[in-house]
Amino acid sequence: MLELADILREGGQAYRQVHGARMLPSHLRAMRAIEDCRTAALGGHLRACDHCGQRQYAYHSCRNRHCPKCHRDQTQRWLEHTRAQLLPCPYFLVTFTLPAELRALARSHQKVVYGLLMRSAAEALLKLTADPDYLGARPGILAVPHTWTRAMTFHPHVQILVTAGGWRDGHAPGWVPSKRPDFLVPGRALSIVFRAKLRDALRHAGLVHHIPNEVWRKDWVVHLQHAGSGDKVLEYLARYVFRIALVNSRLERFDNGQVTFRFRDARSGRTKHCTLATAAFIARFLQHVLPRGFPKVRHSGLFSPSRKPVLEQARATLVGSSAKALRTPSVDADAPALVIETVPADKRTRCSACGLGVMHVIDIPRRWSPPP
Ligand SMILES: [Zn+2]
Ligand SMILES: [Zn+2]
């Protein structure tokens, strides 16, 4: 199967010769890590089965968070962990998009602008849900930034999984469900508050003078959709928590200095193909590399780490009421599951020779090359 690493190994050197001096260190690091992932360049380790003694050499993986081959286990662990933290209630998926006029600024000030985009989106949601006209309670918020379209063009937006309800503090504390199953807060008001929050934040950061004025007068795109129990959305978000923009299986061809990849058109739902010269393809991928250390997932509202006790109180309330609802015959098929499925142990650590034992690392030589 064709991999991003194959394309970088073949075209990366030429790309660095042309762009190297102007490349961001994060881009250079990601590129080299993906090129070296699971090759002799990173060395390897020797594993042995604890049942039959079978030995196996394996190259080290790069663990760069932009590598499409790494992090399978972390993704699964993140998904299980986060699933267990979610409240058993319905959810909405809210997408806040950075307007086109701010993309240049986002490119030149990635860390600041992505951070403010995520914060402003969460704050806008918290402000409107606190309004008693809409909810009058604090929802749980989990936000993940994405910077790409399916064709990998630059399109920063933040996707937020938010509870369709929230916890009300005060003299009568308790869980407040959204007023209607298809309504949390009005989208237009959310877009206006989001715009105002981000403008204030950018002004505070001293960046507002870089931006054309008309962007503050146009409508910003905020999209709310019902997300059922939240589980499907979480699975989708998990796919990109430890990688960016592209899965290797979407790569179709790499020949004559050109790369072809497949994507699903957001409007028509049809599969389309995009063919780019190798250097253009590399540039398109690299623009989604995040600044070093940028936190990819942010929790706020009821999911903020400082509100753990309240979150557990909300969970106890919801589990109690779901248990009651489950005893009545009219249960919504989409109702949250109370039992979290346990996922079997990672198959890849099981011995392929005997199928019984587990492979353990027994040696990590300093200088290592695979047996001939
Ligand atoms: Zn074995
Ligand atoms: Zn890797």
Side-chain angles (χ1 to χ4, degrees), residues 173-206:
W175 181 258
V176 183
S178 62
K179 293 210 159 126
R180 295 199 311 267
D182 60 347
F183 175 84
L184 182 64
V185 293
R188 181 155 168 77
L190 191 58
S191 142
I192 292 169
V193 176
F194 168 52
R195 186 180 64 192
K197 294 249 177 225
L198 190 54
R199 185 189 52 209
D200 290 350
L202 288 170
R203 183 173 294 147
H204 197 77

Side-chain angles (χ1 to χ4, degrees), residues 32-322:
R32 291 223 194 265
I34 297 168
E35 281 172 35
D36 291 347
C37 186
R38 288 151 228 243
T39 69
L42 292 189
H45 50 272
L46 180 62
R47 302 195 300 171
C49 171
D50 59 11
H51 184 74
C52 70
Q54 169 82 9
R55 290 183 166 214
Q56 189 186 57
Y57 289 94
Y59 288 128
H60 289 325
S61 48
C62 73
R63 298 184 181 191
N64 186 287
R65 64 172 169 168
H66 306 97
C67 175
K69 268 173 92 170
C70 287
H71 309 295
R72 206 177 289 224
D73 301 350
Q74 277 120 308
T75 302
Q76 193 55 39
R77 273 202 298 277
W78 181 85
L79 188 58
E80 283 166 42
H81 176 80
T82 311
R83 209 177 249 157
Q85 304 282 303
L86 283 194
L87 289 172
C89 70
Y91 281 80
F92 282 93
L93 173 65
V94 193
T95 309
F96 293 85
T97 302
L98 194 72
E101 293 85 347
L102 295 182
R103 282 182 207 149
L105 182 71
R107 272 186 203 279
S108 58
H109 296 75
Q110 290 181 15
K111 207 167 190 164
V112 177
V113 176
Y114 295 163
L116 296 181
L117 164 67
M118 292 181 80
R119 201 177 76 197
S120 305
E123 283 179 356
L125 259 177
L126 286 171
K127 184 179 161 97
L128 285 192
T129 47
D131 188 331
D133 280 349
Y134 306 134
L135 185 68
R138 182 182 287 116
I141 288 176
L142 184 153
V144 181
H146 285 180
T147 61
W148 55 87
T149 61
R150 292 170 198 200
M152 283 209 293
T153 54
F154 191 62
H155 183 82
H157 55 286
V158 50
Q159 303 211 286
I160 292 187
L161 188 63
V162 53
T163 52
W167 188 259
R168 182 182 51 213
D169 293 316
H171 56 272
W175 181 258
V176 183
S178 62
K179 293 210 159 126
R180 295 199 311 267
D182 60 347
F183 175 84
L184 182 64
V185 293
R188 181 155 168 77
L190 191 58
S191 142
I192 292 169
V193 176
F194 168 52
R195 186 180 64 192
K197 294 249 177 225
L198 190 54
R199 185 189 52 209
D200 290 350
L202 288 170
R203 183 173 294 147
H204 197 77
L207 292 173
V208 86
H209 57 278
H210 290 279
I211 302 161
N213 249 324
E214 61 268 22
V215 75
W216 310 118
R217 290 191 289 270
K218 68 178 236 179
D219 288 338
W220 287 24
V221 180
V222 172
H223 183 251
L224 288 108
Q225 68 188 94
H226 198 247
S229 67
D231 207 49
K232 284 267 166 349
V233 170
L234 201 63
E235 267 177 40
Y236 154 76
L237 291 176
R239 247 177 273 163
Y240 291 102
V241 164
F242 295 98
R243 66 157 89 102
I244 53 163
L246 182 84
V247 287
N248 277 331
S249 58
R250 277 171 52 207
L251 290 168
E252 293 213 328
R253 252 196 344 269
F254 177 40
D255 48 24
N256 301 321
Q258 290 191 317
V259 181
T260 301
F261 65 95
R262 185 175 70 236
F263 65 96
R264 199 153 54 83
D265 185 62
R267 287 228 172 81
S268 67
R270 290 215 189 100
T271 299
K272 289 191 170 177
H273 292 87
C274 177
T275 300
L276 297 169
T278 307
F281 172 85
I282 293 176
R284 198 176 278 202
F285 175 79
L286 287 179
Q287 65 185 338
H288 305 296
V289 168
L290 287 172
R292 189 175 219 174
F294 185 84
K296 197 91 183 264
V297 183
R298 299 191 186 189
H299 299 88
S300 45
L302 201 48
F303 290 160
S304 119
S306 63
R307 293 212 165 74
K308 200 113 211 226
V310 189
L311 176 68
E312 291 319 313
Q313 216 176 334
R315 188 186 315 283
T317 307
L318 282 163
V319 168
S321 60
S322 303

Side-chain angles (χ1 to χ4, degrees), residues 323-354:
K324 251 183 259 159
L326 283 171
R327 281 196 289 273
T328 64
S330 59
V331 177
D332 177 2
D334 213 18
L338 294 175
V339 182
I340 293 149
E341 264 184 76
T342 49
V343 177
D346 182 11
K347 286 193 200 101
R348 292 179 314 141
T349 60
R350 194 150 296 277
C351 172
S352 57
C354 67

